[in-house]
């Protein structure tokens, strides 16, 4: 039975047969010393992950990723973020694993990492969406409407409650994109995939009325300006 370090090396796909497939991120990373240090950091990251020392694992895997662009190390980062409860960031890391095309003849460990990322992402999609939506709601309160829009847009696809969509509409309103915000609020009432609760329906109706009042004078002004 191989020891932990050997098993970690095999998992990372950095056996002699796979070394040629490691993708250095920059010219400096071409040196053997840089690659050796990065591999050592990646192995240390996996050991820390097994020990549930998630902050240390995250730091070590991120250091390795600066040199080696491997899906197995990205998966280590994603799992460390999950362990730290930073699910919105973990979601991004898992997506990075899935978005990375595998080269021909990729090590089995890389293929396994991709499959694991797909499975684990499904498990955290809703919690990650809730975390993003909470962050977006706080940014709405702080007046950071552009950042709130980014968070709420990311949350909306995986949020079955409709709160993500409400957050997106509110952020658009805050950014002065009133017509788009109005369209989003109206769309909530026709989206059968996200039935609104009574509280959500009341909130959306109230915001719709306010937006229509904002748009009314502007539209009347435009029409009057077009008269002879």
């Amino acid at each position: 039975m191989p020891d932990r370090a050997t098993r970690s090396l095999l998992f990372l796909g950095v056996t002699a047969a796979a070394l040629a497939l490691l993708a250095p991120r920059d010219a400096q990373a071409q040196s053997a010393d840089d690659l050796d240090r990065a591999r050592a950091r990646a192995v240390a990251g996996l050991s820390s992950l097994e020990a549930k020392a998630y902050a240390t694992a995250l730091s070590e895997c991120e250091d390795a990723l600066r040199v080696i662009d491997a899906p197995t190390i990205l998966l280590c980062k994603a799992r460390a973020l999950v362990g730290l409860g930073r699910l919105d960031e973990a979601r991004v890391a898992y997506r990075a694993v899935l978005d990375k095309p595998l080269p021909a003849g990729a090590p089995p460990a890389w293929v396994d990492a991709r499959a694991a990322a797909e499975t684990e992402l499904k498990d955290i999609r809703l919690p990650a969406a809730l975390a993003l939506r909470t962050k977006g709601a706080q940014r709405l309160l702080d007046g950071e409407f552009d950042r709130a829009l980014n968070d709420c847009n990311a949350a909306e696809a995986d949020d079955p409650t409709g709160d993500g969509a409400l957050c997106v509409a509110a952020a658009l309103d805050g950014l002065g994109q009133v017509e788009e915000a109005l369209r989003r609020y109206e769309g909530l009432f026709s989206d059968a995939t996200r039935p609104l609760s009574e509280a959500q329906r009341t909130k959306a109706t109230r915001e719709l009325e306010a937006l229509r009042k904002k748009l009314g004078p502007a539209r009347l002004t435009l029409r009057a300006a077009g008269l002879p």
Side-chain angles (χ1 to χ4, degrees):
M1 173 72 75
D3 59 21
R4 174 182 289 181
T6 303
R7 285 187 284 113
S8 297
L9 281 168
L10 290 172
F11 175 75
L12 284 166
V14 292
T15 57
L19 288 179
L21 292 172
L22 293 175
R25 288 189 176 278
D26 52 47
Q28 291 181 343
Q30 298 290 343
S31 75
D33 286 345
D34 283 339
L35 287 173
D36 285 344
R37 279 192 292 269
R39 286 194 291 272
R41 293 293 282 171
V43 171
L46 283 173
S47 296
S48 297
L49 195 62
E50 290 179 9
K52 299 184 179 180
Y54 299 119
T56 303
L58 177 62
S59 175
E60 289 164 340
C61 289
E62 285 185 328
D63 282 350
L65 281 167
R66 292 187 180 97
V67 178
I68 300 174
D69 192 15
T72 40
I73 307 176
L74 264 174
L75 181 64
C76 174
K77 175 182 176 179
R79 288 172 169 173
L81 288 165
V82 170
L84 291 169
R86 292 159 59 178
L87 299 183
D88 51 338
E89 295 172 72
R91 184 175 181 263
V92 173
Y94 280 125
R95 286 287 349 151
V97 177
L98 297 175
D99 291 342
K100 184 179 298 300
L102 292 177
W110 288 22
V111 179
D112 291 345
R114 188 183 181 90
E118 187 170 12
T119 298
E120 292 170 28
L121 178 60
K122 291 177 183 176
D123 291 338
I124 70 158
R125 279 176 66 183
L126 180 56
L130 296 179
L132 276 168
R133 194 188 73 207
T134 300
K135 185 184 291 186
Q138 182 58 51
R139 284 177 168 160
L140 282 177
L141 293 175
D142 295 339
E144 299 177 3
F145 299 117
D146 52 345
R147 300 178 74 181
L149 182 60
N150 289 336
D151 289 335
C152 296
N153 264 329
E156 184 183 4
D158 296 326
D159 182 358
T161 67
D163 283 334
L166 282 166
C167 183
V168 169
L172 288 166
D173 184 17
L175 289 168
Q177 300 178 34
V178 180
E179 291 199 8
E180 178 62 17
L182 182 67
R183 188 183 67 79
R184 289 296 189 110
Y185 278 121
E186 289 173 341
L188 283 167
F189 292 94
S190 59
D191 187 352
T193 65
R194 290 190 181 93
L196 297 177
S197 68
E198 191 59 35
Q200 290 171 330
R201 187 174 293 275
T202 299
K203 180 178 180 180
T205 300
R206 184 174 63 247
E207 296 299 332
L208 266 173
E209 291 173 354
L211 287 172
R212 285 168 179 157
K213 287 178 181 177
K214 283 184 184 180
L215 282 175
R219 285 175 173 166
L220 286 173
T221 302
L222 287 170
R223 287 173 185 166
L227 293 173

